[in-house]
Amino acid sequence: MRKYIVKRLIISLIILFFVAFIIYVLMRSLPTSYIENVARQKSMQPNSKSFEEWMEQLSATYGMNQGLFLGFINWLGRFFTGQFGDSWYYTVPVIDKFNDTVWLSFVMGLIAFTLELLIAIPLGIIAATKQYSKTDYTISVLALAGISLPTFFFASLLKLVFSVHLGWFDLFGLVGRSYELLSPMGKFLDKAHHLVLPIVTLVVISVGSLMRYTRTNMLEVLNADYIRTARAKGLSEKKVIYHHAFRNTLIPLVTMIGGSLPGLFSGALITETLYMIPGIGYTSYNAMVNGDIPFSMFYLVFMAILTLLGNLISDILYAVVDPRVRIA
Amino acid sequence: MSEELKNNTPDNPEEPQYSLNDDRRVKVLSPGALVAKRFFRNRMAVVGLITLIAMFIFSFVGGMISPYTQDQLFYRTDLQNKEFAAIKVNDEYRYATAPNQEFSSVVQAQAFLAMQKGNSEFEYRGTNYTLKKEGENFYSVQLDGTTIGIAFMDIVSGADGEIKVDFDEHFAILKAYTNQEKKFEFNGSNYEIDAEGAIKKDGKEYALVGRYVINTILSDVKLTNAFREKLIEAIDTNKSEFDYSDENGDFTYTLKYDAANKMYSILQKKETKVFDTYAAPSKEHWLGTDRNGMDMLTRLMYGGRVSLMIGFIVEAIATVLGVIFGGLAGYFGKWVDMLIMRIVDVFYCIPSMPIIIIIGAAMDAMRVNPQVRMIYLMLILGFLGWPGVARMVRGQILSLREQEYMTAAEATGLKVSRRIFKHLVPNVIPQLIVSVTMGLGGTIITEATLSFLGLGVRFPFASWGNIINDVNDTYVLTNYWFIWIPAGICLLVTVLAFNLVGDGLRDAFDPRMKR
């Protein structure tokens, strides 16, 4: 087992190396005039460093004055020793901005993910047990509709109904106008109130695929021989489904859930941007749109690490949870 | 199957009757026909297919039928209040110097002081001046009996705003006006002054006198006496609106008083040609018009064209790349497989959305032409999409190449490329079609999201995403549902239809899967 994990880790690191290389090449191939333009604009802002300082910092951090490969090694070395440079757009060290924003995204993602699981798994199981019934069709079509719904359109609809017409929520932002005047508890509730619509959006958009996943896996299990045996033994349908079938459905589910956990840190780029929730997604969106190269680079590599970590966890969990899987 | 039974019932007289063990009794369906049959039995898939066909007709044929083009601008005439003139009540003394006399500004100031004090004489630099009150707020300044200048508050201006009165005439008019004389004679002419201050010289409209200073905004506009009379009347009676018609037409004027600089501004309500923006749905524009005054329905059709086309091209690029790389990896195995699959792993880890956003922002800053931009967008999306296809194709081929027919193909000495692309890949096509159909929905959403963020398809091209982009303006979100809801519904319906058809195809191709 340990050997397997080590092997997977090494492979992941190699992949990460190449991903980082591609990301670095991308940054290097951005037109220089664009980078210089952005740097010049930044230096025009009040209380900002001078243009030369920005460019100097950039070429120092990214080894711009060196060759492609040497510069890459240079940058990678700095990256893994935690020198990410200063964000151009936020004018603070990248890591500070990251620390400020990532936890909000994580909390939001965690709540949304928990809700998704609570909705998707029971519905997926019901749909599978009643295959080809009206319930099954309804659930399947709703799941597909959720998958097909563009985030921005759904968010706009929610805003129109709940913010504009009903006036229950604010259109944008994490805190209300009188946030500073509130008690600590009030502040917490205010934030929670502002997170309702984003979380609803996230849940509705992503619950569909989870539901389909559960349903497919449950169907597969229900067609297995041991279920037929269980039924033949004369067990009640309830016992067959919840004891025999569901436990086996958990195997792919657990692996999938484990693999999704790192992704909770990546933030919801689109949803956060739509609601202007200052999580990591919205923060990096602003950074990317405004040509903040240090922050964007950091975010890209961070995302790649999360994806790799997710794959790694799900592979390992698959081996741990399912005793049938033998690891060579 | 019931349909087959029906076909063979004797009540169909044209069908020849076969004996029970005749092979011809058994209707043979080709694999394709079987798939089609299974597909059409799935009601949801059929609904999806019909929707898709409708969407294609809407987008590709609709654009041709529509009487408008996608960037045709519409105008409407609108009543707009435009600044026309400004009028001010004069409460300062103005001065005029008699011909060939000197009446310097210092002397004017001294005269003013004397007026305030009520003195009839003042001295400046050893010279004694006499101040004579000629009427209300009207004084003349004399030096040794000759008038050198006058100070007055009422302004005399020509009837058409042009003519200048000379000093003596000016003096006479002011004298008469400030003493409320209705008639006077000067230089052999008869003058009449009415209550509004209009002066008639020998029965002809001549000039105007009053406390008001009127300036027109446009220098070439001449104000007539009649207009002034109307205007002053409106101010005196505290009306905020009045109508006046002249050879240019009938206009309504609105008066606005600005307390800060004691000025009235006169707004002329005039019909102006403006872009017909955000017009509500009507007979001419079934879904209204957008921010630029373009027909919404037409843009929706062209938008659909762009969205669908981008979807297809992106999927085509991804599929071609995916099939080539997946096929090579699956067929050759060993180090080729290892290499290609690691490349796929690397591509899988690249966060595509952020990368497209960064490239989009860079293209924004470089002001890339919208058309070129659209091509870049397709290339990038296609290039980032191939690893998924490659992985699927490889998996399929890995199992297919172990089958006997491949051994047979090898035994007949077929070329490798022929074996891969003629014998293996066609067997992957069912899965490929399913994945492409499902992928199309995803690509359309991605493109729409990017266009919504303003980083994908740009104006003047329409795409469903950038039509909804207007929602970023909260006012549009709140007030103009017809701008963004139809586009959103089009998107939702199209993507849903692609997914339904994809689902249906998967079931039809592989009946064991049972979804």
mmCIF file of all heavy atoms in Angstrom, chain B residues 425-462:
data_model
loop_
_atom_site.group_PDB
_atom_site.id
_atom_site.type_symbol
_atom_site.label_atom_id
_atom_site.label_comp_id
_atom_site.label_asym_id
_atom_site.label_seq_id
_atom_site.Cartn_x
_atom_site.Cartn_y
_atom_site.Cartn_z
ATOM 1 N N VAL B 425 -11.146 2.179 -35.026
ATOM 2 C CA VAL B 425 -11.878 3.418 -34.737
ATOM 3 C C VAL B 425 -13.378 3.318 -35.058
ATOM 4 O O VAL B 425 -14.201 3.747 -34.267
ATOM 5 C CB VAL B 425 -11.195 4.607 -35.440
ATOM 6 C CG1 VAL B 425 -12.046 5.847 -35.342
ATOM 7 C CG2 VAL B 425 -9.833 4.855 -34.821
ATOM 8 N N PRO B 426 -13.768 2.709 -36.206
ATOM 9 C CA PRO B 426 -15.207 2.614 -36.457
ATOM 10 C C PRO B 426 -15.960 1.919 -35.332
ATOM 11 O O PRO B 426 -17.129 2.214 -35.085
ATOM 12 C CB PRO B 426 -15.285 1.798 -37.753
ATOM 13 C CG PRO B 426 -14.021 2.096 -38.432
ATOM 14 C CD PRO B 426 -12.993 2.227 -37.356
ATOM 15 N N ASN B 427 -15.283 1.002 -34.640
ATOM 16 C CA ASN B 427 -15.956 0.335 -33.529
ATOM 17 C C ASN B 427 -16.064 1.204 -32.294
ATOM 18 O O ASN B 427 -16.759 0.866 -31.356
ATOM 19 C CB ASN B 427 -15.216 -0.959 -33.185
ATOM 20 C CG ASN B 427 -15.579 -2.056 -34.157
ATOM 21 O OD1 ASN B 427 -16.728 -2.443 -34.238
ATOM 22 N ND2 ASN B 427 -14.602 -2.501 -34.933
ATOM 23 N N VAL B 428 -15.313 2.293 -32.297
ATOM 24 C CA VAL B 428 -15.389 3.209 -31.153
ATOM 25 C C VAL B 428 -16.457 4.271 -31.416
ATOM 26 O O VAL B 428 -16.889 4.957 -30.512
ATOM 27 C CB VAL B 428 -14.014 3.864 -30.919
ATOM 28 C CG1 VAL B 428 -14.007 4.675 -29.652
ATOM 29 C CG2 VAL B 428 -12.938 2.822 -30.852
ATOM 30 N N ILE B 429 -16.857 4.358 -32.699
ATOM 31 C CA ILE B 429 -17.730 5.468 -33.078
ATOM 32 C C ILE B 429 -19.010 5.579 -32.236
ATOM 33 O O ILE B 429 -19.378 6.684 -31.849
ATOM 34 C CB ILE B 429 -18.011 5.429 -34.598
ATOM 35 C CG1 ILE B 429 -16.793 6.076 -35.270
ATOM 36 C CG2 ILE B 429 -19.261 6.176 -34.979
ATOM 37 C CD1 ILE B 429 -16.865 6.170 -36.737
ATOM 38 N N PRO B 430 -19.675 4.479 -31.896
ATOM 39 C CA PRO B 430 -20.859 4.661 -31.042
ATOM 40 C C PRO B 430 -20.553 5.463 -29.777
ATOM 41 O O PRO B 430 -21.211 6.465 -29.504
ATOM 42 C CB PRO B 430 -21.259 3.230 -30.713
ATOM 43 C CG PRO B 430 -20.787 2.436 -31.853
ATOM 44 C CD PRO B 430 -19.527 3.096 -32.324
ATOM 45 N N GLN B 431 -19.512 5.040 -29.060
ATOM 46 C CA GLN B 431 -19.160 5.773 -27.838
ATOM 47 C C GLN B 431 -18.755 7.205 -28.154
ATOM 48 O O GLN B 431 -19.049 8.134 -27.405
ATOM 49 C CB GLN B 431 -18.003 5.091 -27.115
ATOM 50 C CG GLN B 431 -18.395 3.907 -26.270
ATOM 51 C CD GLN B 431 -18.541 2.654 -27.113
ATOM 52 O OE1 GLN B 431 -18.324 2.665 -28.319
ATOM 53 N NE2 GLN B 431 -18.942 1.568 -26.453
ATOM 54 N N LEU B 432 -18.100 7.347 -29.302
ATOM 55 C CA LEU B 432 -17.634 8.668 -29.706
ATOM 56 C C LEU B 432 -18.821 9.598 -29.949
ATOM 57 O O LEU B 432 -18.840 10.750 -29.492
ATOM 58 C CB LEU B 432 -16.819 8.517 -30.993
ATOM 59 C CG LEU B 432 -15.636 9.442 -31.153
ATOM 60 C CD1 LEU B 432 -14.737 9.348 -29.953
ATOM 61 C CD2 LEU B 432 -14.874 9.086 -32.413
ATOM 62 N N ILE B 433 -19.823 9.063 -30.649
ATOM 63 C CA ILE B 433 -20.998 9.891 -30.933
ATOM 64 C C ILE B 433 -21.650 10.330 -29.626
ATOM 65 O O ILE B 433 -22.014 11.488 -29.449
ATOM 66 C CB ILE B 433 -22.001 9.112 -31.814
ATOM 67 C CG1 ILE B 433 -21.408 8.905 -33.201
ATOM 68 C CG2 ILE B 433 -23.316 9.858 -31.922
ATOM 69 C CD1 ILE B 433 -22.284 8.097 -34.114
ATOM 70 N N VAL B 434 -21.770 9.380 -28.697
ATOM 71 C CA VAL B 434 -22.384 9.720 -27.420
ATOM 72 C C VAL B 434 -21.579 10.813 -26.720
ATOM 73 O O VAL B 434 -22.122 11.820 -26.273
ATOM 74 C CB VAL B 434 -22.493 8.466 -26.524
ATOM 75 C CG1 VAL B 434 -22.957 8.850 -25.145
ATOM 76 C CG2 VAL B 434 -23.434 7.468 -27.141
ATOM 77 N N SER B 435 -20.256 10.620 -26.684
ATOM 78 C CA SER B 435 -19.458 11.585 -25.928
ATOM 79 C C SER B 435 -19.466 12.949 -26.612
ATOM 80 O O SER B 435 -19.461 13.988 -25.959
ATOM 81 C CB SER B 435 -18.042 11.066 -25.708
ATOM 82 O OG SER B 435 -17.196 11.513 -26.727
ATOM 83 N N VAL B 436 -19.497 12.935 -27.966
ATOM 84 C CA VAL B 436 -19.534 14.219 -28.670
ATOM 85 C C VAL B 436 -20.859 14.933 -28.403
ATOM 86 O O VAL B 436 -20.892 16.135 -28.141
ATOM 87 C CB VAL B 436 -19.312 14.019 -30.186
ATOM 88 C CG1 VAL B 436 -19.688 15.262 -30.956
ATOM 89 C CG2 VAL B 436 -17.871 13.669 -30.450
ATOM 90 N N THR B 437 -21.953 14.176 -28.432
ATOM 91 C CA THR B 437 -23.257 14.799 -28.203
ATOM 92 C C THR B 437 -23.322 15.420 -26.816
ATOM 93 O O THR B 437 -23.770 16.553 -26.643
ATOM 94 C CB THR B 437 -24.371 13.756 -28.349
ATOM 95 O OG1 THR B 437 -24.058 12.921 -29.434
ATOM 96 C CG2 THR B 437 -25.696 14.413 -28.576
ATOM 97 N N MET B 438 -22.862 14.639 -25.818
ATOM 98 C CA MET B 438 -22.876 15.178 -24.461
ATOM 99 C C MET B 438 -21.900 16.348 -24.352
ATOM 100 O O MET B 438 -22.185 17.341 -23.692
ATOM 101 C CB MET B 438 -22.465 14.098 -23.453
ATOM 102 C CG MET B 438 -23.310 12.855 -23.511
ATOM 103 S SD MET B 438 -24.898 13.099 -22.750
ATOM 104 C CE MET B 438 -24.751 12.062 -21.338
ATOM 105 N N GLY B 439 -20.751 16.190 -25.044
ATOM 106 C CA GLY B 439 -19.733 17.242 -24.972
ATOM 107 C C GLY B 439 -20.212 18.537 -25.593
ATOM 108 O O GLY B 439 -19.853 19.622 -25.135
ATOM 109 N N LEU B 440 -21.037 18.444 -26.638
ATOM 110 C CA LEU B 440 -21.538 19.646 -27.301
ATOM 111 C C LEU B 440 -22.262 20.549 -26.314
ATOM 112 O O LEU B 440 -22.062 21.763 -26.297
ATOM 113 C CB LEU B 440 -22.492 19.253 -28.422
ATOM 114 C CG LEU B 440 -21.847 19.033 -29.771
ATOM 115 C CD1 LEU B 440 -22.832 18.412 -30.724
ATOM 116 C CD2 LEU B 440 -21.378 20.361 -30.310
ATOM 117 N N GLY B 441 -23.108 19.916 -25.477
ATOM 118 C CA GLY B 441 -23.824 20.694 -24.472
ATOM 119 C C GLY B 441 -22.854 21.424 -23.573
ATOM 120 O O GLY B 441 -22.981 22.633 -23.338
ATOM 121 N N GLY B 442 -21.852 20.689 -23.102
ATOM 122 C CA GLY B 442 -20.864 21.298 -22.201
ATOM 123 C C GLY B 442 -20.112 22.430 -22.878
ATOM 124 O O GLY B 442 -19.901 23.491 -22.285
ATOM 125 N N THR B 443 -19.720 22.208 -24.136
ATOM 126 C CA THR B 443 -18.968 23.250 -24.843
ATOM 127 C C THR B 443 -19.811 24.501 -25.015
ATOM 128 O O THR B 443 -19.321 25.625 -24.858
ATOM 129 C CB THR B 443 -18.551 22.737 -26.226
ATOM 130 O OG1 THR B 443 -17.957 21.465 -26.070
ATOM 131 C CG2 THR B 443 -17.576 23.669 -26.871
ATOM 132 N N ILE B 444 -21.080 24.298 -25.351
ATOM 133 C CA ILE B 444 -21.943 25.468 -25.545
ATOM 134 C C ILE B 444 -22.048 26.259 -24.244
ATOM 135 O O ILE B 444 -21.994 27.485 -24.229
ATOM 136 C CB ILE B 444 -23.320 25.028 -26.076
ATOM 137 C CG1 ILE B 444 -23.158 24.539 -27.510
ATOM 138 C CG2 ILE B 444 -24.319 26.160 -26.019
ATOM 139 C CD1 ILE B 444 -24.397 23.975 -28.118
ATOM 140 N N ILE B 445 -22.157 25.538 -23.118
ATOM 141 C CA ILE B 445 -22.225 26.237 -21.833
ATOM 142 C C ILE B 445 -20.920 26.989 -21.566
ATOM 143 O O ILE B 445 -20.929 28.145 -21.139
ATOM 144 C CB ILE B 445 -22.526 25.256 -20.676
ATOM 145 C CG1 ILE B 445 -23.977 24.801 -20.767
ATOM 146 C CG2 ILE B 445 -22.262 25.906 -19.338
ATOM 147 C CD1 ILE B 445 -24.481 24.155 -19.526
ATOM 148 N N THR B 446 -19.783 26.317 -21.835
ATOM 149 C CA THR B 446 -18.502 26.985 -21.592
ATOM 150 C C THR B 446 -18.383 28.254 -22.424
ATOM 151 O O THR B 446 -18.012 29.314 -21.923
ATOM 152 C CB THR B 446 -17.336 26.040 -21.951
ATOM 153 O OG1 THR B 446 -17.578 24.781 -21.351
ATOM 154 C CG2 THR B 446 -16.023 26.590 -21.494
ATOM 155 N N GLU B 447 -18.715 28.126 -23.703
ATOM 156 C CA GLU B 447 -18.625 29.290 -24.593
ATOM 157 C C GLU B 447 -19.546 30.392 -24.100
ATOM 158 O O GLU B 447 -19.165 31.563 -24.052
ATOM 159 C CB GLU B 447 -18.998 28.856 -26.016
ATOM 160 C CG GLU B 447 -18.956 29.951 -27.045
ATOM 161 C CD GLU B 447 -20.266 30.711 -27.114
ATOM 162 O OE1 GLU B 447 -21.343 30.106 -26.960
ATOM 163 O OE2 GLU B 447 -20.194 31.929 -27.296
ATOM 164 N N ALA B 448 -20.760 29.997 -23.700
ATOM 165 C CA ALA B 448 -21.726 31.007 -23.243
ATOM 166 C C ALA B 448 -21.219 31.678 -21.977
ATOM 167 O O ALA B 448 -21.345 32.898 -21.824
ATOM 168 C CB ALA B 448 -23.082 30.349 -22.992
ATOM 169 N N THR B 449 -20.624 30.884 -21.072
ATOM 170 C CA THR B 449 -20.114 31.467 -19.836
ATOM 171 C C THR B 449 -19.023 32.484 -20.138
ATOM 172 O O THR B 449 -19.014 33.590 -19.602
ATOM 173 C CB THR B 449 -19.561 30.366 -18.909
ATOM 174 O OG1 THR B 449 -20.563 29.374 -18.761
ATOM 175 C CG2 THR B 449 -19.183 30.920 -17.565
ATOM 176 N N LEU B 450 -18.121 32.097 -21.048
ATOM 177 C CA LEU B 450 -17.036 33.017 -21.401
ATOM 178 C C LEU B 450 -17.589 34.274 -22.050
ATOM 179 O O LEU B 450 -17.173 35.396 -21.726
ATOM 180 C CB LEU B 450 -16.065 32.331 -22.359
ATOM 181 C CG LEU B 450 -15.163 31.320 -21.696
ATOM 182 C CD1 LEU B 450 -14.460 30.487 -22.727
ATOM 183 C CD2 LEU B 450 -14.143 32.035 -20.819
ATOM 184 N N SER B 451 -18.536 34.101 -22.956
ATOM 185 C CA SER B 451 -19.108 35.266 -23.618
ATOM 186 C C SER B 451 -19.863 36.116 -22.615
ATOM 187 O O SER B 451 -19.874 37.337 -22.707
ATOM 188 C CB SER B 451 -20.055 34.838 -24.729
ATOM 189 O OG SER B 451 -19.387 34.015 -25.628
ATOM 190 N N PHE B 452 -20.488 35.449 -21.661
ATOM 191 C CA PHE B 452 -21.202 36.195 -20.618
ATOM 192 C C PHE B 452 -20.231 37.063 -19.836
ATOM 193 O O PHE B 452 -20.526 38.212 -19.508
ATOM 194 C CB PHE B 452 -21.906 35.217 -19.681
ATOM 195 C CG PHE B 452 -22.546 35.883 -18.499
ATOM 196 C CD1 PHE B 452 -23.753 36.541 -18.632
ATOM 197 C CD2 PHE B 452 -21.934 35.877 -17.255
ATOM 198 C CE1 PHE B 452 -24.342 37.173 -17.563
ATOM 199 C CE2 PHE B 452 -22.513 36.509 -16.182
ATOM 200 C CZ PHE B 452 -23.725 37.152 -16.323
ATOM 201 N N LEU B 453 -19.062 36.503 -19.558
ATOM 202 C CA LEU B 453 -18.067 37.274 -18.812
ATOM 203 C C LEU B 453 -17.393 38.310 -19.696
ATOM 204 O O LEU B 453 -16.558 39.075 -19.242
ATOM 205 C CB LEU B 453 -17.005 36.330 -18.231
ATOM 206 C CG LEU B 453 -17.500 35.380 -17.162
ATOM 207 C CD1 LEU B 453 -16.418 34.382 -16.804
ATOM 208 C CD2 LEU B 453 -17.934 36.128 -15.926
ATOM 209 N N GLY B 454 -17.755 38.318 -20.990
ATOM 210 C CA GLY B 454 -17.154 39.294 -21.902
ATOM 211 C C GLY B 454 -15.795 38.850 -22.404
ATOM 212 O O GLY B 454 -15.024 39.655 -22.895
ATOM 213 N N LEU B 455 -15.480 37.561 -22.279
ATOM 214 C CA LEU B 455 -14.162 37.090 -22.697
ATOM 215 C C LEU B 455 -14.244 36.142 -23.876
ATOM 216 O O LEU B 455 -13.244 35.632 -24.329
ATOM 217 C CB LEU B 455 -13.468 36.391 -21.519
ATOM 218 C CG LEU B 455 -13.211 37.302 -20.332
ATOM 219 C CD1 LEU B 455 -12.917 36.481 -19.096
ATOM 220 C CD2 LEU B 455 -12.062 38.227 -20.625
ATOM 221 N N GLY B 456 -15.440 35.896 -24.366
ATOM 222 C CA GLY B 456 -15.575 34.956 -25.470
ATOM 223 C C GLY B 456 -15.908 35.695 -26.750
ATOM 224 O O GLY B 456 -15.137 36.520 -27.219
ATOM 225 N N VAL B 457 -17.084 35.410 -27.296
ATOM 226 C CA VAL B 457 -17.527 36.069 -28.518
ATOM 227 C C VAL B 457 -17.881 37.516 -28.185
ATOM 228 O O VAL B 457 -18.527 37.796 -27.189
ATOM 229 C CB VAL B 457 -18.758 35.333 -29.081
ATOM 230 C CG1 VAL B 457 -19.272 36.036 -30.308
ATOM 231 C CG2 VAL B 457 -18.413 33.901 -29.390
ATOM 232 N N ARG B 458 -17.401 38.425 -29.040
ATOM 233 C CA ARG B 458 -17.610 39.839 -28.728
ATOM 234 C C ARG B 458 -18.502 40.506 -29.753
ATOM 235 O O ARG B 458 -18.625 40.059 -30.882
ATOM 236 C CB ARG B 458 -16.248 40.552 -28.719
ATOM 237 C CG ARG B 458 -15.357 40.082 -27.615
ATOM 238 C CD ARG B 458 -15.887 40.471 -26.277
ATOM 239 N NE ARG B 458 -15.760 41.888 -26.053
ATOM 240 C CZ ARG B 458 -14.759 42.458 -25.388
ATOM 241 N NH1 ARG B 458 -13.831 41.712 -24.877
ATOM 242 N NH2 ARG B 458 -14.712 43.746 -25.221
ATOM 243 N N PHE B 459 -19.085 41.618 -29.329
ATOM 244 C CA PHE B 459 -19.832 42.468 -30.216
ATOM 245 C C PHE B 459 -18.940 42.808 -31.423
ATOM 246 O O PHE B 459 -17.753 42.993 -31.242
ATOM 247 C CB PHE B 459 -20.196 43.735 -29.442
ATOM 248 C CG PHE B 459 -21.110 44.640 -30.174
ATOM 249 C CD1 PHE B 459 -22.457 44.389 -30.195
ATOM 250 C CD2 PHE B 459 -20.606 45.723 -30.865
ATOM 251 C CE1 PHE B 459 -23.301 45.222 -30.882
ATOM 252 C CE2 PHE B 459 -21.462 46.546 -31.560
ATOM 253 C CZ PHE B 459 -22.805 46.288 -31.568
ATOM 254 N N PRO B 460 -19.416 42.897 -32.643
ATOM 255 C CA PRO B 460 -20.805 42.872 -33.102
ATOM 256 C C PRO B 460 -21.393 41.486 -33.272
ATOM 257 O O PRO B 460 -22.549 41.398 -33.646
ATOM 258 C CB PRO B 460 -20.711 43.571 -34.460
ATOM 259 C CG PRO B 460 -19.375 43.217 -34.952
ATOM 260 C CD PRO B 460 -18.495 43.160 -33.738
ATOM 261 N N PHE B 461 -20.614 40.432 -33.049
ATOM 262 C CA PHE B 461 -21.199 39.111 -33.181
ATOM 263 C C PHE B 461 -22.084 38.832 -31.982
ATOM 264 O O PHE B 461 -21.792 39.276 -30.877
ATOM 265 C CB PHE B 461 -20.101 38.054 -33.281
ATOM 266 C CG PHE B 461 -19.277 38.199 -34.516
ATOM 267 C CD1 PHE B 461 -18.029 38.782 -34.462
ATOM 268 C CD2 PHE B 461 -19.775 37.795 -35.737
ATOM 269 C CE1 PHE B 461 -17.281 38.950 -35.605
ATOM 270 C CE2 PHE B 461 -19.026 37.953 -36.883
ATOM 271 C CZ PHE B 461 -17.778 38.531 -36.818
ATOM 272 N N ALA B 462 -23.131 38.086 -32.239
ATOM 273 C CA ALA B 462 -24.010 37.729 -31.140
ATOM 274 C C ALA B 462 -23.753 36.291 -30.774
ATOM 275 O O ALA B 462 -23.422 35.477 -31.627
ATOM 276 C CB ALA B 462 -25.460 37.897 -31.574
#
